[in-house]
Amino acid sequence: MKVNPTGPATGRTTSGTTASADDLRLALRAATLYHVEGLTQAEIARRLGVSRPTAGRLVARARQQGLVRIEVEVPPHLAEQVHADEERALEERFDLTEVIVVGDPVTGPPERSTSFSGLGRAAAALVARRIGAEDTLGFTWGPETVAVAQALTPGESTCSRVVQLDGSVTTADYQTGTEYVLGRCAEQLKATTMRLPAPLFADPSTVASLQTDSVISRTLQAGAEADVMMFGVGAVSRATTLFEGAFVDTAMLDELTAAGAVGEIAGRYFRQDGSVVDGELAERAVSVSLEAVRDCPAAVLVAGGESKHHAILGALRGGFSSLLVCDVDTARWLLDH
C-alpha cells in the first residue's frame, strides 16, 4: 500500500467541485493513519478532532482522489509456493468461490496417493476452514481424498458426520481407501460415519433394488444433502483407479469414449463441455448424482496431474466444483484452455 502525497492532477472531489489543499491534506493524513499506521476510524477521529463518520469519509475520499494505491505482492522467497495470480484468474474464469494452487507438482502414476500430498495438505486446510460443527462432510474414495484425510489436523475443526458418496465394494483385491478416510475423518473431526455398503456399478435392476434398502437410501440421501463435499476426478483411460480396481473394463471405456466422456466423479461421467453422459452406465452407478455435487454449497475438487487435465476442465465447465485445489502446472494449463 502506498500513500501518494502528490495525488492526481485534477484535485477534484467526487461531487465535481475542486478540493482545497486543506481538504486533500486532511484526507491524506487520515489515509496515512489508517493504511500505514493501522489506526481505527475511531482513533483517527480522536487524533484529527473530527467525528467518526467524517474520519471514514476522509479515508474513502483519499482512495477516490487517487491518493492511495494498494499493491499486493508475493515475497520473492515464496514465489514458487504462492500463486495468487493464477488463483484469482481461475476464480474469475470459472466463477469459483476459492482456488488454492500449490507449487508441488503432481507427478508419477495418478493412483499413487503420495503424489497428492501437497494437494492433500492444502485441501485439508480448506475443508477445516469451511466445515461447521453441525455440517455433513461427503467424500468420494480415491487417492486425493486419502491425501486430504492424512493431512487433517486434530482440533482445527469438527463436523457432525462423514458420509461416503459412492459405492466401493469390488471383487478385485483392491484397496479403495474408503475405510481409512472414514476412520481418519471420524477421529480428526470428531464425527460419526455413514458407510455406503454397495458396489460402485451394478446392473440397473440391482441398483433399483439397492436404492430401496434403508441403509443405502439413507446414506445416499445424506450424501446428496452434504454441506461440504471433497472429491477427485478420474480420466477415461486404463491408467485410473476405476480400471485398476476392476470397476470398469475395456468395453465400458470404449463405450464412454464413443459418448465423448472425458472424466468422472463418483463413477458418473461427463464430457469436455461439462454435459453429463446419460444412458445405461449412469443407471448402473451407485452414488450421488452430479446434480447433487453441483448443488453442494461447498464442493471441493482436489485434482492435478497432466493425465487429468481434460477431466478437470470438464468438471469446471460443468459447474461441479465451487472450490478447487490443484497444482500450478494444472492451473496454468486450465488458463491456457
Side-chain angles (χ1 to χ4, degrees), residues 53-122:
T54 298
R57 286 193 291 270
L58 287 170
V59 172
R61 182 185 301 169
R63 295 191 62 176
Q64 293 165 355
Q65 289 289 313
L67 302 177
V68 176
R69 185 172 74 251
I70 297 176
E71 298 177 352
V72 179
E73 184 176 351
V74 177
H77 69 284
L78 293 177
E80 296 301 317
Q81 299 172 288
V82 179
H83 302 280
D85 290 341
E86 288 86 351
E87 290 171 350
R88 184 173 181 181
L90 285 170
E91 289 167 358
E92 294 177 351
R93 182 77 57 85
F94 296 102
D95 192 25
L96 298 169
T97 301
E98 183 178 356
V99 174
I100 298 178
V101 175
V102 302
D104 298 337
V106 174
T107 58
E111 68 274 8
R112 304 298 183 191
S113 61
T114 54
S115 67
F116 293 103
S117 57
L119 297 182
R121 289 190 297 271

Side-chain angles (χ1 to χ4, degrees), residues 6-312:
T6 59
T10 60
R12 290 187 177 274
T13 66
T14 55
S15 63
T17 59
T18 303
S20 69
D22 288 340
D23 291 336
L24 291 178
R25 186 179 298 110
L26 195 59
L28 180 63
R29 181 60 177 152
T32 302
L33 292 172
Y34 184 77
H35 292 289
V36 178
E37 300 186 24
L39 272 63
T40 66
Q41 291 184 9
E43 292 170 333
I44 294 170
R46 289 193 295 270
R47 180 76 68 89
L48 299 182
V50 298
S51 67
R52 184 171 177 175
T54 298
R57 286 193 291 270
L58 287 170
V59 172
R61 182 185 301 169
R63 295 191 62 176
Q64 293 165 355
Q65 289 289 313
L67 302 177
V68 176
R69 185 172 74 251
I70 297 176
E71 298 177 352
V72 179
E73 184 176 351
V74 177
H77 69 284
L78 293 177
E80 296 301 317
Q81 299 172 288
V82 179
H83 302 280
D85 290 341
E86 288 86 351
E87 290 171 350
R88 184 173 181 181
L90 285 170
E91 289 167 358
E92 294 177 351
R93 182 77 57 85
F94 296 102
D95 192 25
L96 298 169
T97 301
E98 183 178 356
V99 174
I100 298 178
V101 175
V102 302
D104 298 337
V106 174
T107 58
E111 68 274 8
R112 304 298 183 191
S113 61
T114 54
S115 67
F116 293 103
S117 57
L119 297 182
R121 289 190 297 271
L126 175 62
V127 169
R129 285 192 282 110
R130 296 282 178 175
I131 200 77
E134 302 301 319
D135 288 346
T136 294
L137 171 64
F139 74 94
T140 66
W141 57 266
E144 298 92 343
T145 49
V146 168
V148 178
Q150 286 175 334
L152 288 173
T153 302
E156 284 196 7
S157 58
T158 61
C159 68
S160 176
R161 57 185 177 179
V162 179
V163 58
Q164 182 182 341
L165 299 178
D166 52 349
S168 60
V169 177
T170 176
T171 57
D173 184 17
Y174 182 79
Q175 299 298 317
T176 64
T178 299
E179 289 301 316
Y180 175 82
V181 175
L182 281 167
R184 177 76 176 177
C185 289
E187 177 184 10
Q188 303 300 83
L189 299 173
K190 308 300 180 185
T192 60
T193 59
M194 295 187 72
R195 289 171 172 79
L196 185 61
L200 179 58
F201 294 112
D203 62 81
S205 62
T206 301
V207 172
S209 177
L210 288 171
Q211 290 174 339
T212 63
D213 179 85
S214 59
V215 173
I216 291 175
S217 62
R218 282 199 304 268
T219 302
L220 288 172
Q221 184 66 28
E225 297 173 353
D227 303 285
V228 180
M229 295 182 184
M230 61 179 186
F231 51 89
V233 65
V236 180
S237 78
R238 292 178 175 85
T240 64
T241 55
L242 293 189
F243 189 84
E244 185 179 272
F247 291 94
V248 297
D249 56 26
T250 301
M252 294 170 69
L253 290 178
D254 291 342
E255 178 185 341
L256 288 164
T257 301
V262 298
E264 60 83 21
I265 296 170
R268 298 187 180 273
Y269 288 83
F270 51 85
R271 301 179 181 86
Q272 186 76 84
D273 63 0
S275 60
V276 177
V277 177
D278 295 315
E280 183 183 355
L281 189 59
E283 295 172 357
R284 294 172 58 188
V286 184
S287 63
V288 299
S289 68
L290 287 177
E291 288 74 16
V293 175
R294 185 188 288 125
D295 292 340
C296 178
V300 184
L301 172 57
V302 186
E306 183 178 357
S307 65
K308 297 190 177 186
H309 283 174
H310 288 281
I312 298 168

